[in-house]
Amino acid sequence: MARTTPAPASGRSLSVALLQTVYLLLGLLAVSALAGVLLAAFFLPAVSAGSTVAKDGVDLFESYPTELEVEPLNEASRIEAADGSLLATFYTENRIMVPLEEISPHIQRAVIAVEDRRFYEHGGVDAKGLVRAVASNAAGGATQGGSTLTQQYVKNALLMDAVQRGDQEDQMEATAQTYGRKLREAKLAISLEKQWSKDEILNAYLNVAQFGPSQYGVETGAQHYFSKSAKDLDPGEAALLAGVTNGPNQYDPVAHPEAGEKRRNEVLGDMRREGFITDEEYEEYTSQPVEDMLEIKNVRAGCADAGTSGFFCDYVTRSLLNDPDFAPSYEERRKLLYGGGLTIRTTLDPSTQEEAVDILQRRVPGDSESGFGHSIVTVEPGTGNILTMAENRSFNPHAEVEPGETAINYNVPQALGGGSGFPVGSTFKPFVLQQWLESGKTIYDRVSTSRGAITHAPAKCLNGGGWNERPGWNPDNAVSVSIAPMETVLNSTKFSINTSYTDMARQLDLCEIADTARKIGVVPATYNPYDPATWEMSIEDMYGTELAPAVLVLGELNISALDMAAGYATYAAGGTFCKPQAITEVVDRNGDEMEISGAECHQAVEKDVADAMAWTLQQDLEDPRATGKGKIIDGHPAGGKTGTSGQQFHTWYVGFTRQMSTAVWFGHPQANVRPGGFEVDDLMLRRGSVWGNTVSLPTWQEYMTRVHEDLPSESFPAEPKRPSSDSEEEVEQGVVPDVSGMVLSQAQSTIEAAGYEAEVQRETSSEVDQWYVIGSDPTPGTRLPEGETVVIRQSTGEG
């Protein structure tokens, strides 16, 4: 890049400075043909050997570039919710580019009046203004004045380009107080005038100039000072903005209202002189106090201004910065985000987000002395769209935080702004159940509920083909119902029987269980979902010593709530797994769609298995005796699973309808603390008595009830068919079958299949619609002639 000539040395005489000025000026005029003859005639008598002087000026002028080659200006990017509302802006220079037709004629005229009143007459350089400035500067004043709007645009464009490239030398050159810099700008201005129309140049200037201490471009200035668009500015507002550009800090009407008002009135005077406003308008707007004009709107860069959606906003930005499809390197992605003028459209539903925040802050206020955290995240089955991402904290990415503030997103993996995740407890059991069904087994199979130390479990990816430990692991149960020595897998799921699931794990393979979870996006929260290695590494490398029955059966794995919601969404979507996504579209400053890692959906689970999972988890929620306690979503079939980590440090509920899959977490984010000694709503928590259905499930039910109010009801799959061999074994003619734990319709058909008449006896009353069977009379196994009546004992188990 050509370098400018140095400024005249302070010790040089006036005549030397003037002579150098003439060299440059004559060269400029000789090339530009702007009043060349007239101006040369004015200066030539003062210079001997005029032709040589002109030639030297021409040579110097010709050494400067002709084309203005700069990168596109940095422009603020915006992140929008699904309804188009603004969540946050990102910028290095707070600039919003707008076309000229969206800029008020008043501000166009104000800028022309005060900065370049002969704008529509010159060809890039104003000879009259230049002569005046040269005479003043050569006489010893600072290099100033004489620059047209075209030249000012060139100067600003060169400076912004150097700043964006981080080139310190070019930044100094673009602001150097030298004749060389002026000459370079003049040449580029002349060239630009031949390529662009006057309106294009004016538009470019209005978008590049500084209209406030940190406001770049007229639209940003209008939004900042008046909370309105540049197209709506009146003459007084236009004059105030036009005056600021000459000294963005000096004339800032917020910090210096008197200076700002004085400068505004000077601009209004120029506008009157040029005939842009009438005498009456001049009097009207000069008499208005500047404080009465202002309606300040401060826009800070980043997610701290995103309000209750700050954590989602942070997740969006981290997703983009981790996405190799968006741009090859991290630096390129960051440059696009902070200066690319992008519109980033997201999946966030402001209405469901508002409901979640309201419930969380009411039930467990973020600034409460307990320090406990509470979060909700919702994924749409079949798309992976993240509809809600909320927690009972305010997003604050700065070093100093107040109570109730944090930068940690409790819902997401570590690489995307979260911590290391939280132990998910029994919400991991469905992945064991999925592997059970995929291995050809059924929910009607019976497994042992007996306690006993387990010292071996199959794990083909481990050395020796299994997990082995002595003296072994002896699981216990925490159930609220009586259980038989052998229970169906259905009951074992509904009542979350640890010993039953231990027996199931012993009949499966631990490595396959972990891989089953990974296939639907469920991995430890310390792994980056954008890193291909997360999905390609071996299961033994991912889990290591955590490939153990105690970890997989009891869910002592730290997993993000987002991954849990997305995994369960697979069952709601008939086996289709979709990678969670927060971004639907990224559009560049020209309105063109950019490439991102978008929706990725595939059939990860066979439909009959997924449907069986959905139906089974529906029973877990609807049966009042089960861990879901009958906390249904009125009018909307739903299913899910509670989870309680060891020592009750963290509790969960993950559940879904066909439209939404939601994970709710409750726990202390910074330490292993048993909850207790404080109230959630009107419930006083007692240490040692807080489970997944104590806090998390009621939160889930309230939230899901609210957000489904205007949604249609979508049915769940039918009950899976019992295998014929199982039916022959369990429904023996002439023997009373065991119907405990069944829904009424299933119990009636089973009794009838054994050759009996079914009679229903309700032992308690309840407002819950779905009744469940707790036994029969005679007792199961009793031989009874066909055609006799068997009483089905029906109860909700309440009381």
Side-chain angles (χ1 to χ4, degrees), residues 549-619:
V551 177
L552 295 182
V553 171
L554 298 185
E556 292 300 315
L557 290 163
N558 288 11
I559 298 170
S560 76
L562 177 61
D563 284 355
M564 294 299 293
Y568 276 48
T570 307
Y571 308 138
T576 297
F577 167 70
C578 296
K579 183 189 78 173
Q581 68 160 358
I583 303 169
T584 57
E585 186 180 44
V586 176
V587 177
D588 67 17
R589 68 176 79 209
N590 299 317
D592 297 325
E593 187 173 349
M594 301 182 68
E595 185 176 356
I596 57 171
S597 295
E600 297 178 15
C601 299
H602 65 277
Q603 192 73 27
V605 182
E606 292 185 7
K607 189 176 186 304
D608 60 342
V609 171
D611 286 350
M613 292 292 302
W615 184 86
T616 301
L617 295 176
Q618 181 184 18
Q619 312 317 305

Side-chain angles (χ1 to χ4, degrees), residues 359-417:
I359 293 168
L360 292 172
Q361 289 289 3
R362 189 199 74 237
R363 287 177 59 77
V364 186
D367 58 357
S368 68
E369 293 183 1
S370 72
F372 271 73
H374 205 17
S375 69
I376 295 173
V377 63
T378 299
V379 171
E380 183 177 47
T383 67
N385 288 347
I386 301 169
L387 306 179
T388 301
M389 185 177 284
E391 62 189 71
N392 67 335
R393 297 289 196 271
S394 296
F395 180 72
N396 183 350
H398 307 297
E400 295 184 6
V401 296
E402 299 293 331
E405 297 178 340
T406 185
I408 303 300
N409 189 332
Y410 300 153
N411 282 305
V412 304
Q414 192 172 62
L416 299 176

Side-chain angles (χ1 to χ4, degrees), residues 461 510-511 514-515 518 537-544 547:
C461 64
L510 299 180
C511 304
D515 198 39
R518 180 168 70 169
M537 65 169 42
S538 66
I539 283 295
E540 60 269 30
D541 287 342
M542 173 172 282
Y543 281 88
L547 278 173

Side-chain angles (χ1 to χ4, degrees), residues 15 42 104 157 176 188 236 329 381 401 456 492 553 571-572 580 693 714:
S15 61
F42 177 82
S104 166
L188 289 171
S329 70
V401 296
H456 171 81
S492 299
V553 171
Y571 308 138
N693 53 29
E714 295 191 16

